[in-house]
Amino acid sequence: MTFRKSLTLLVVVLLSFSLLLSACSTKVATTNVSPDATKATVESANPATPAANLANASDLQSKVKPVSFSWYANYDWFTPEKYGDQPDSKWVIDNLKVNLNPISSGGAAATKLNSMIVGNELPDVLVLDRGKDVERLQQAGKLVALDPYLAKYPEFVKLIGEKTLNLLRSPDGKLYQIPNWYINGPNGNGNAAYIVEKKIYKALGSPKLETWDDLESYLKLVKSKYTDVVPFDAGEIRDGAELQALGMFYSGSTTNVSAGFVAPTSGNAFGVPKDNKLTSVYTDPDFQATALFTSKLYREGLISKDILTENRDQIKEKLTKGKIAVWAAYDAVVEGLGREANNQLKAIDPEDGYMAIWPIHKEGVDKNKVYPSGYNTLGWNVNVISTNAKDPEAIFTYMTWATSPEGQRILFFGPQGLFYDKVEDGVPIPNDAYIKRDQKKYDDMKIGFFNFSGNTAYIDGTKAKREKLLPAEAQDWTTLAQANIAFKTSMNVTEFSNLDPVPNSEEGIIMQRLKDQYKQTTAKIIFAKSDDEVKALLTQADQEAKKLGYDKVLQYKTNVWQANLKKMGN
């Protein structure tokens, strides 16, 4: 599961390092590889050989203990595929003797998690956002502490980094979390972007599309010429309250800000940094300007009328049919969204598709200091092992291998012998099957779907190196969008990690009330009939938030933020 974030999706969400595997050397001859053909190739190229018996198995691979475990991703939008249907997951089953049994949230993650906790039916492994849910499970004694394994498997600490692991420790000083899409390296990452439908954009004269004013003018043009197209849409509501349209626009309202400053959802600050303190979102002039702009676009019929209710699948359907002229999201350029929409449209018409553009920003704002993506060395979300697991150490050995260069190569690029036959300096060298691949069929294989131990430093660096080896027509849309746009417009927000109060604490209870209030307020802002009504709503929201205890939450978050800075040596 190449989570991001996006983050976009991001992500998208991001990944790890490089070793060599011996699995096979059979080269795929076909150029348009179908999923069925791919499965047959993987089966023939990867016999079910125990990892420890492979002639050139890496040390980490030989340490993986056979295990079968249940696995649950705590997200409304995530629907798991069948494990073993993907070339990489089948390789894991055959060669490592590791099997995974996915559990679906059924589109109601919070309810599902609560029922599993109450019924003492937690899966062996859970993928969660850092913060409240992790600490709730930890305080209830439901999670396995990983500290006993750190000395036994020192590769884990080396791969992720001791500083990152220390920031992930719970208040009791123990480590329960394995990060996903973390960064142990010098470069950032991100998947947030604005993408534009190419055929529509070209037909309308390819006008300048840089500022808020440019965007509004272009959306009006789309509305007048394409009555069956949504001029502007954004990613789905996150965590029941976070409106991605607001976050994306806010990132361009001024310089050096993150969407996370104004979102009350898990992992975000919900406070604007000023003079070493986190201050109210509702009194921030840049958030006020963002609210006015967003409401104005909606009043003019330029934003999807379903912006508050549509889910990920509904958005994806519109994208893949080219029915959104401009789309903005935290995970816009990840494999399952922007890239898939681009590739499906391009398969029908080579001149069609989507292109990522430099982030839209308010007039007068320095475009080189606009950051719709925020990256964290801790990564996106985390894996935790529940006390229901019969063999937590075996699960830990698999995750350690999975986040290594070797594991990431197989889980992200597929098994050797499928789309690459050799590895040089950690880079899988593309073979003819990859260069001449049918992009849609390649996407349908869902290689990397269950990559939930992503190591960003390895994957992003390796993808960039691999693209340089390919002809232009074979280069990957996501990789190019990330390298040219998303990564360059990503802000390091590591210092704002772990700001979520424990849910049953006084601050945690207040935070839930503030989240509910924010959800209601942003909906009212979208539907406001005038700028004056928006301003009145913001004033009212600020007053209500203070009565709910917002100042106490801001002080709590400020204290954690300042403590993080000290831990980081800042």
Side-chain angles (χ1 to χ4, degrees):
M1 175 179 68
T2 48
F3 281 125
R4 161 86 148 140
K5 166 88 181 47
S6 47
L7 224 77
T8 180
L9 228 163
L10 158 245
V11 119
V12 170
V13 350
L14 310 161
L15 302 114
S16 98
F17 301 109
S18 70
L19 282 168
L20 181 58
L21 165 75
S22 68
C24 57
S25 60
T26 304
K27 188 171 182 178
V28 182
T30 182
T31 56
N32 291 333
V33 187
S34 69
D36 291 340
T38 298
K39 289 174 67 176
T41 301
V42 175
E43 289 169 1
S44 64
N46 293 282
T49 305
N53 296 331
L54 288 174
N56 297 316
S58 69
D59 289 342
L60 268 183
Q61 188 179 324
S62 66
K63 291 182 179 180
V64 176
K65 300 175 183 292
V67 66
S68 179
F69 59 91
S70 55
W71 178 89
Y72 170 72
N74 190 46
Y75 297 97
D76 294 343
W77 51 264
F78 182 72
T79 302
E81 299 284 330
K82 181 181 177 182
Y83 194 75
D85 280 357
Q86 308 78 30
D88 51 316
S89 61
K90 176 153 183 27
W91 186 96
V92 169
I93 293 172
D94 291 345
N95 292 280
L96 301 184
K97 303 304 181 188
V98 172
N99 204 353
L100 184 154
N101 303 305
I103 297 172
S104 174
S105 70
T111 302
K112 180 72 172 180
L113 180 61
N114 285 334
S115 67
M116 290 191 293
I117 293 173
V118 172
N120 194 28
E121 297 177 342
L122 284 173
D124 300 329
V125 173
L126 298 90
V127 183
L128 308 155
D129 287 333
R130 297 186 310 273
K132 60 180 183 180
D133 286 329
V134 173
E135 296 311 323
R136 175 169 58 142
L137 291 169
Q138 181 270 317
Q139 290 184 5
K142 300 293 186 181
L143 300 183
V144 174
L146 307 176
D147 301 80
Y149 308 135
L150 301 186
K152 191 172 181 180
Y153 304 97
E155 302 92 344
F156 180 79
V157 177
K158 292 178 182 178
L159 286 165
I160 297 174
E162 191 168 356
K163 287 185 178 180
T164 294
L165 293 177
N166 285 340
L167 281 172
L168 287 170
R169 290 186 178 278
S170 292
D172 66 356
K174 296 180 180 180
L175 178 69
Y176 299 91
Q177 306 174 71
I178 299 173
N180 179 29
W181 301 107
Y182 63 92
I183 305 170
N184 187 359
N187 300 316
N189 60 72
N191 287 306
Y194 290 79
I195 64 173
V196 176
E197 217 285 343
K198 289 164 60 176
K199 200 167 184 179
I200 294 173
Y201 184 63
K202 185 176 180 180
L204 295 177
S206 305
K208 184 168 75 77
L209 201 49
E210 299 176 3
T211 69
W212 285 2
D213 287 345
D214 295 338
L215 177 63
E216 183 178 2
S217 297
Y218 180 68
L219 298 180
K220 288 180 178 178
L221 193 58
V222 172
K223 182 182 178 183
S224 67
K225 301 292 185 181
Y226 294 87
T227 57
D228 63 336
V229 170
V230 176
F232 177 86
D233 210 341
E236 76 284 354
I237 299 290
R238 288 285 179 92
D239 199 13
E242 185 175 0
L243 186 61
Q244 291 192 51
L246 271 179
M248 291 296 293
F249 289 146
Y250 177 75
S251 69
S253 65
T254 187
T255 58
N256 301 314
V257 297
S258 164
F261 292 167
V262 295
T265 46
S266 180
N268 289 315
F270 194 47
V272 180
K274 289 182 181 177
D275 300 324
N276 297 317
K277 294 182 180 180
L278 292 176
T279 61
S280 172
V281 167
Y282 300 115
T283 59
D284 178 57
D286 299 311
F287 181 73
Q288 292 172 351
T290 301
L292 287 166
F293 178 65
T294 308
S295 181
K296 180 185 179 185
L297 292 185
Y298 190 85
R299 287 198 303 273
E300 294 175 342
L302 304 178
I303 292 182
S304 170
K305 61 181 177 58
D306 302 316
I307 192 78
L308 296 173
T309 58
E310 59 191 349
N311 61 36
R312 195 178 183 89
D313 288 339
Q314 291 168 328
I315 293 168
K316 183 176 178 179
E317 183 178 3
K318 287 188 285 186
L319 282 171
T320 54
K321 292 180 179 179
K323 296 302 183 181
I324 300 176
V326 180
W327 188 60
Y330 301 152
D331 50 3
V333 300
V334 298
E335 286 79 354
L337 291 169
R339 187 179 83 170
E340 189 168 333
N342 173 75
N343 293 340
Q344 288 198 26
L345 291 171
K346 193 173 180 180
I348 298 170
D349 181 350
E351 299 300 316
D352 205 356
Y354 279 93
M355 63 179 181
I357 63 170
W358 200 260
I360 303 291
H361 53 85
K362 189 179 177 183
E363 295 71 18
V365 171
D366 184 347
K367 71 173 188 177
N368 295 311
K369 296 180 180 180
V370 172
Y371 302 104
S373 281
Y375 75 91
N376 189 321
T377 59
L378 277 62
W380 172 27
N381 49 17
V382 293
N383 304 273
V384 295
I385 303 174
S386 83
T387 51
N388 285 353
K390 293 181 180 179
D391 193 348
E393 182 175 348
I395 296 171
F396 183 85
T397 64
Y398 169 71
M399 290 189 177
T400 300
W401 171 83
T403 200
S404 73
E406 176 182 81
Q408 286 297 286
R409 174 164 52 78
I410 293 170
L411 294 175
F412 191 88
F413 298 104
Q416 188 169 344
L418 188 58
F419 291 112
Y420 62 97
D421 302 310
K422 59 182 179 179
V423 180
E424 295 180 359
D425 296 326
V427 180
I429 306 302
N431 59 21
D432 286 344
Y434 183 79
I435 293 172
K436 299 176 182 178
R437 71 195 182 284
D438 180 302
Q439 186 64 64
K440 184 180 183 306
K441 292 179 180 178
Y442 180 84
D443 289 344
D444 288 343
M445 294 177 202
K446 298 190 182 297
I447 296 173
F449 185 88
F450 285 101
N451 185 9
F452 53 92
S453 299
N455 181 332
T456 302
Y458 169 72
I459 291 300
D460 287 348
T462 303
K463 285 196 303 181
K465 292 176 182 177
R466 184 185 65 163
E467 291 311 294
K468 294 179 181 179
L469 304 175
L470 296 168
E473 64 273 12
Q475 291 179 350
D476 179 69
W477 185 89
T478 289
T479 301
L480 294 176
Q482 289 172 333
N484 296 329
I485 304 290
F487 291 175
K488 292 180 178 179
T489 56
S490 187
M491 179 181 181
N492 189 339
V493 293
T494 305
E495 63 193 75
F496 300 103
S497 301
N498 308 322
L499 301 191
D500 292 336
V502 176
N504 60 1
S505 67
E506 182 181 2
E507 292 86 355
I509 294 170
I510 294 171
M511 192 63 233
Q512 182 57 53
R513 293 170 180 165
L514 290 171
K515 177 181 171 182
D516 293 339
Q517 183 213 8
Y518 180 90
K519 178 181 179 180
Q520 296 170 9
T521 299
T522 51
K524 291 176 182 177
I525 286 171
I526 292 295
F527 295 133
K529 302 300 183 184
S530 66
D531 285 355
D532 287 341
E533 185 179 347
V534 173
K535 294 174 184 177
L537 286 167
L538 290 169
T539 299
Q540 180 183 355
D542 181 55
Q543 295 170 349
E544 291 175 349
K546 286 180 179 178
K547 291 179 182 178
L548 291 173
Y550 192 14
D551 288 342
K552 188 176 186 67
V553 168
L554 287 171
Q555 186 58 58
Y556 171 89
K557 288 174 174 281
T558 295
N559 292 342
V560 178
W561 172 35
Q562 294 301 315
N564 285 344
L565 290 173
K566 289 181 181 179
K567 290 179 184 178
M568 296 168 67
N570 295 345

